[in-house]
Amino acid sequence: MNPEDPRAQRTRARLKAAMLELAVQQELATITMSALAKRAEVNRATIYLHYPDVDSLVTDAMEDAVAAVAGAAALCPLDAPRDRAPGPLVELFQHVEVNAQLYRRMLGSHGSARFGARMRERLTAELTQRFAGGRRPSGWDDVPVGMHAAYLAGALVGVIAHHVAEEGPAQEAALAFWRLFRTAGCQAGGG
């Protein structure tokens, strides 16, 4: 099967949409290939042509969300004041708030480890690229760039998981994360 074939792309789009619909309604562990096939109006064998298991399908279905989170994190100006979260970070938490049930399912105790890992990997890559391009805060030369990026990426994923579990306002979560981010990863001397 050629993944560039328009028919394959349409089928994958239907499968991803079905997965996201089901993931909002029920825990990931309870989603079966049969239920996915029924929701996407395909047979079960068709799903296996595209995805080996539910976890790989949900991870692919969430790829746009992962890209949005990583992109917003990479756009944050690192020199914004401590008392005002940067716009891209607020937008990121608003996106998460609108899709809270889905993120709760993905990052919760019965969620997708593959999704959480993918989100951390993508965030780490975005931040590593940014830091390697000379946009790294000063004062962190004694920490490898990749490790610095991984630390911040893990922190953001952890805060997102906490935010959707606690269901607080997006603005407050963005500001709290911004304060932590600036202190722990973006200002030498704990600013």
Side-chain angles (χ1 to χ4, degrees):
M1 171 186 49
N2 176 4
E4 301 303 317
D5 182 319
R7 292 172 297 174
Q9 290 176 350
R10 283 192 300 272
T11 299
R12 288 174 79 93
R14 287 172 57 188
L15 290 170
K16 290 188 287 188
M19 171 52 83
L20 294 177
E21 290 169 11
L22 288 172
V24 168
Q25 298 171 1
Q26 63 192 79
E27 293 293 336
L28 295 180
T30 66
I31 298 173
T32 64
M33 290 297 207
S34 294
L36 281 165
K38 184 176 181 179
R39 178 66 61 109
E41 299 177 342
V42 300
N43 67 47
R44 259 181 43 176
T46 300
I47 298 173
Y48 288 108
L49 287 173
H50 297 273
Y51 299 99
D53 54 37
V54 169
D55 206 33
S56 60
L57 173 52
V58 76
T59 301
D60 191 34
M62 289 294 291
E63 188 59 33
D64 288 343
V66 168
V69 169
L75 289 174
C76 286
L78 301 179
D79 59 352
R82 184 180 187 277
D83 63 340
R84 191 177 65 228
L89 191 60
V90 173
E91 290 172 19
L92 182 156
F93 277 93
Q94 288 170 338
H95 158 80
V96 168
E97 186 174 71
V98 167
N99 299 285
Q101 181 64 13
L102 193 53
Y103 280 97
R104 197 173 297 116
R105 297 257 195 246
M106 296 298 138
L107 296 172
S109 59
H110 298 289
S112 170
R114 190 178 293 170
F115 170 74
R118 177 68 184 128
M119 184 177 275
R120 282 189 311 277
E121 289 166 5
R122 184 75 182 262
L123 282 163
T124 299
E126 290 281 342
L127 291 169
T128 298
Q129 182 177 356
R130 179 181 185 163
F131 292 169
R135 295 180 57 215
R136 185 178 187 196
S138 62
W140 298 98
D141 295 338
D142 57 344
V143 177
V145 169
M147 189 177 295
H148 188 185
Y151 171 76
L152 295 173
L156 180 55
V157 172
V159 169
I160 289 171
H162 178 78
H163 171 60
V164 296
E166 296 294 316
E167 299 185 20
Q171 183 71 33
E172 286 179 21
L175 181 58
F177 179 75
W178 179 242
R179 288 175 174 159
L180 291 167
F181 185 78
R182 282 180 46 95
T183 302
C186 293
Q187 277 193 345

